[in-house]
Amino acid sequence: MKTETLAALQEARTKRRAVTLATRLSDAAEALVYRDDARGELAGDAAIVAAAQRAMDIGKSETIDVGGAKIFLNVYVPPPRLIIVGAVHIAQSLAPMAAMLEFDVTVVDPRGAWATTQRFPGVKVIQDWADEAFQAMGLDSSTAIVTLTHDPKLDDPALESALKSDVFYVGALGSRRTHAKRRERLAEVGITDEMFARVHGPVGLNIGAKSPAEIAVSILGQIIEVRARRLEALSAPKVAAA
């Protein structure tokens, strides 16, 4: 691998930027293909770029044939990330469960008495407003966001930012009545019905969960289900239009 290629891959990893390294096996010619860009000797081949971007969406490396040439697509995507807004009791169960499943977990809450490493050992904790934290962190399609505070001042800005991004999952704790009021508030800041439909609320699978730990299980189960269905849909063969 070329030195400049390795440096670019390391930069992409640091910035949580998905990329596919396309390499022609016959002569090692390369292209780095991002979601919105392509660089390198093979970047001018539209078929290779399209295949690399599809492989990136699926998250699966593979060897393909393009015009009789074997092209290896080596996919580098960020690990799944869970951002929990609200350092509450449910979050104390949800964070370690998600970490066990190799999610990169961050808890965000401006309330310093709640958002502490003592309450969340081994998890990244950010004492900031969620929308400001999101801007600094960057949101991507490998990210799930869950709001748990029940406080519109904390949850609503987080949901607004999440729904304007391409995160794969958005969940919000609260009753159906709370969810309806949330919809009205977010409509006032430009969130359309189509955008709001992405919110899973009340959050979690309907398994009769009562305790904080049980609710955490239901939330994590729903995140896993949504992620699996998304990847299944992306990997399904495309049907040509008649």
Side-chain angles (χ1 to χ4, degrees), residues 164-178:
K164 291 179 179 178
S165 74
D166 63 347
V167 298
F168 77 87
Y169 177 91
V170 183
L173 186 68
S175 66
R176 296 185 186 282
R177 182 179 178 183
T178 298

Side-chain angles (χ1 to χ4, degrees), residues 84 98 130:
I84 304 170

Side-chain angles (χ1 to χ4, degrees), residues 3 8 15-16 32 47 87 151 155 200 208-209 215 223 226 229 234:
T3 303
K15 295 182 177 180
R16 287 186 58 88
L32 285 169
D151 186 341
D155 286 353
H200 294 269
I215 295 171
I223 292 172
V226 169
R229 287 184 176 180
L234 289 170

